[in-house]
Amino acid sequence: MMTAVKVKNITIGEGMPKICVPIVGETVEKIVEEAKYLTTLEADVVEWRVDFFEQVEDINQVKEALKKIRKRLPQTPIIFTFRSLREGGQKEISTSYYMELNRIMVQTGQVDMIDVELFNDEKDVKHLIDVAHDHHVYVIISNHDFHKTPNKEEIVARLRKGQELGGDIPKIAVMPKNTADVLTLLDATREMKEHYADRPIITMSMAGKGVISRLAGEIFGSALTFGAAKKASAPGQVAVNELKNTLSLLHKAL
């Protein structure tokens, strides 16, 4: 039995996959501009990719920018994400600052979810999960491979690990080298959903070859998909309105 994740007025894990759109501005002005623009789109969730923010290493500036995002998107679930360089992000920070950054943003009460990378030290992952849950914040446990697609068993194992650690939504994104890799990701998603998942999962195959995985989540078992507003945060993201239309078409057919 799978338990959906209800965040504000959005339920992740029921019905159509929810659409998440990234904010990727480098400055406060660009971030505010993007947040305003997102109010015109049919996005369900917003992810602030704070690794794009030029002042990310100043906690007070991050808090102020977050306040401005929340002011413009008061009812929209916000995911706070610092994506590390090794997993496709914009820069690297120390482990201690990564921990502090996530911990303090959880404590602001301004975020609904945080993204914690699976391949951090297990003690650190568990600590951030505990802190988040203490503040009624959900945790996405993520893993990104921009170089290849692991075999099906490994993909399933990583998703199961995220679940076992206590993450609310395990996530994996992989890079296909051929169409067989896309099928591997889709079949791993199906297997995880049918045999192991007791909570929503997010999976995707990136770049052009993997676009089908961003569209077919309801069929195979991925509960959330990422769409692009003005600028994509990862290769293969589809424009939000096109994504919504395709998801609706598939939903009606099921």
Side-chain angles (χ1 to χ4, degrees):
M1 181 73 178
M2 195 200 72
T3 303
V5 170
K6 186 167 177 55
V7 190
K8 290 194 169 11
N9 60 342
I10 299 295
T11 302
I12 300 169
E14 289 182 0
M16 273 173 46
K18 302 308 179 284
I19 297 174
C20 180
V21 182
I23 290 176
V24 293
E26 298 92 355
T27 64
V28 172
E29 292 73 25
K30 288 181 180 177
I31 287 166
V32 169
E33 181 186 321
E34 286 184 45
K36 286 180 181 174
Y37 180 62
L38 292 185
T39 63
T40 69
L41 301 178
E42 292 188 87
D44 301 301
V45 180
V46 166
E47 179 183 43
W48 183 23
R49 279 286 304 275
V50 72
D51 52 293
F52 279 86
F53 183 36
E54 289 175 351
Q55 294 176 287
V56 65
E57 293 182 71
D58 184 330
I59 286 278
N60 289 326
Q61 290 299 321
V62 176
K63 287 167 74 173
E64 286 303 310
L66 178 58
K67 277 186 195 172
K68 289 180 166 65
I69 295 171
R70 176 52 81 199
K71 183 178 178 182
R72 283 152 185 83
L73 300 166
Q75 298 305 317
T76 305
I78 294 174
I79 305 170
F80 181 83
T81 300
F82 183 93
R83 180 70 59 237
S84 70
L85 197 61
R86 69 180 182 271
E87 296 214 11
Q90 298 300 297
K91 62 189 70 165
E92 206 61 81
I93 55 176
S94 69
T95 298
S96 60
Y97 186 67
Y98 178 86
M99 296 291 291
E100 181 186 11
L101 182 65
N102 279 285
R103 190 169 58 246
I104 290 177
M105 293 311 124
V106 160
Q107 292 167 350
T108 64
Q110 302 283 320
V111 299
D112 304 285
M113 293 178 269
I114 59 169
D115 178 298
V116 178
E117 292 176 355
L118 175 65
F119 286 164
N120 284 299
D121 185 277
E122 190 170 308
K123 294 194 301 297
D124 291 339
V125 173
K126 287 181 175 178
H127 176 68
L128 285 178
I129 291 171
D130 288 343
V131 171
H133 288 171
D134 285 345
H135 290 81
H136 309 291
V137 171
Y138 292 106
V139 182
I140 296 169
I141 300 288
S142 68
N143 174 237
H144 305 76
D145 192 326
F146 277 77
H147 303 291
K148 65 183 185 307
T149 298
N151 62 43
K152 184 173 81 167
E153 292 73 24
E154 179 62 21
I155 293 172
V156 172
R158 292 181 192 180
L159 290 167
R160 291 183 70 185
K161 182 67 173 176
Q163 182 167 280
E164 288 161 11
L165 287 170
D168 301 289
I169 308 178
K171 173 193 173 188
I172 191 165
V174 296
M175 185 64 74
K177 292 183 177 176
N178 49 51
T179 51
D181 282 347
V182 181
L183 293 174
T184 295
L185 181 278
L186 292 173
D187 197 32
T189 306
R190 175 203 60 78
E191 182 167 316
M192 180 69 187
K193 174 76 185 302
E194 290 181 1
H195 298 290
Y196 305 110
D198 59 9
R199 61 203 69 190
I201 61 171
I202 301 170
T203 69
M204 70 207 69
S205 182
M206 293 184 281
K209 285 186 176 69
V211 165
I212 186 65
S213 69
R214 297 180 183 273
L215 308 175
E218 191 170 0
I219 297 169
F220 292 92
S222 181
L224 185 144
T225 189
F226 290 78
K230 292 185 176 181
K231 178 182 175 183
S233 63
Q237 285 179 358
V238 180
V240 172
N241 293 340
E242 292 176 0
L243 185 55
K244 183 82 169 184
N245 290 339
T246 305
L247 293 175
S248 299
L249 182 67
L250 287 170
H251 181 69
K252 288 172 186 172
L254 292 175

